[in-house]
Amino acid sequence: TESTGCFPQKTVLSGHEKSVTVLAFAPDSQTLISGDWDWVLRFWDMRESSMGNLLAYREMHRARILGIQFSENRQVVTSSNNGELALWELPAHLPVTLGLAQRTPQGTFSGNGHWLLTSTADGNLRLTNTSDGAVVFQRKGDGKSRNIAMDETGKTLAWTEQNGNVVLYWREQDKEQPLIGVRAQILALSSDGNTLVTADAAGRVKCWDPVQRTLLWSKEKQERILRLTFSPDQKFLAIASESGVVIHDAATGDVLD
């Protein structure tokens, strides 16, 4: 069934003074990490009894943080606009910095930690096996960084093109297919790869079945969406906009009280 409507303004995680640039759930779905232009990551309690409480904040880079992703084994990769990827573990200790020849605004782990998908500033895509460093998939960019997403096994990838088109790729079938008629700036895949959420420049958030290419629900945020992320258990969808971070029911899009 399809659901439409507007988001009520509640369940906002307060604390960011600037626009949120990164958003991710920890593997246990009990911690949400957010970051903005001030170089600091904020750690939020997502347990039902204390949802929304700020647990900690830490400065992770000496540059603006542009991407963050967790793997199942508690590894975390963060990227910044000075061209660095940092690899670290929870709790957040000083990161081990991996220097890159090209700026890499985004990096995302598969949930099992076996795959790392990156997008450079000019849109080059690369899927790397973390065990041996082998590059198993790559696409040349179109001059602009892409928004990227991946399921927990690294078998399903999704990205945005410069013109706003959304493209899906199934690695085992080596099958690449656009989501016809869909324009997006931001996207997210559920851990099982069966649900895709997109947000366009007008603040419209839409949830899709990527295999059947059918719309499941849609909402209007009525402001610019900055980040989307599913919790690993697929119960929650966190949406960061210019007014803050709001937690939603992933199945319906409804705001959680």
Side-chain angles (χ1 to χ4, degrees), residues 20-208:
V20 173
T21 58
V22 297
L23 198 62
F25 280 93
D28 60 6
S29 299
Q30 295 186 4
T31 305
L32 178 70
I33 292 84
S34 60
D36 60 23
W37 290 118
D38 63 6
W39 309 354
V40 174
L41 292 178
R42 286 171 170 79
F43 296 72
W44 306 92
D45 193 339
M46 291 302 298
R47 293 172 297 179
E48 185 175 355
S49 60
S50 51
M51 183 176 290
N53 288 343
L54 181 64
L55 298 174
Y57 62 94
R58 292 183 174 89
E59 185 175 301
M60 298 306 300
H61 288 266
R62 297 297 299 178
R64 292 175 178 176
I65 302 170
L66 298 180
I68 182 171
Q69 185 68 33
F70 289 87
S71 70
E72 235 173 34
N73 56 7
R74 299 178 69 80
Q75 285 184 316
V76 184
V77 62
T78 54
S79 60
S80 62
N81 70 343
N82 64 359
E84 292 180 343
L85 285 180
L87 184 64
W88 47 284
E89 294 184 0
L90 287 178
H93 298 302
L94 292 177
V96 177
T97 300
L98 309 175
L100 297 176
Q102 293 179 292
R103 287 190 174 185
T104 306
Q106 289 198 66
T108 180
F109 273 120
S110 61
N112 58 21
H114 296 166
W115 306 96
L116 176 63
L117 178 64
T118 58
S119 171
T120 62
D122 55 7
N124 292 330
L125 291 176
R126 178 176 292 182
L127 182 64
T128 303
N129 188 319
T130 58
S131 62
D132 59 12
V135 177
V136 299
F137 169 82
Q138 53 187 337
R139 285 290 183 275
K140 185 174 176 57
D142 52 13
K144 181 181 179 181
S145 178
R146 310 169 194 253
N147 193 256
I148 56 177
M150 179 168 50
D151 71 351
E152 66 179 356
T153 63
K155 295 179 180 179
T156 304
L157 316 180
W159 62 83
T160 57
E161 301 282 3
Q162 187 174 18
N163 59 8
N165 288 342
V166 175
V167 179
L168 292 156
Y169 177 75
W170 291 272
R171 179 170 54 86
E172 290 190 332
Q173 293 82 21
D174 192 25
K175 178 183 177 182
E176 184 175 320
Q177 188 169 18
L179 195 56
I180 303 297
V182 178
R183 296 288 188 274
Q185 291 186 329
I186 305 292
L187 51 75
L189 268 173
S190 61
S191 58
D192 61 8
N194 291 331
T195 308
L196 174 73
V197 174
T198 62
D200 63 19
R204 290 183 289 262
V205 180
K206 297 183 178 183
C207 183
W208 307 88

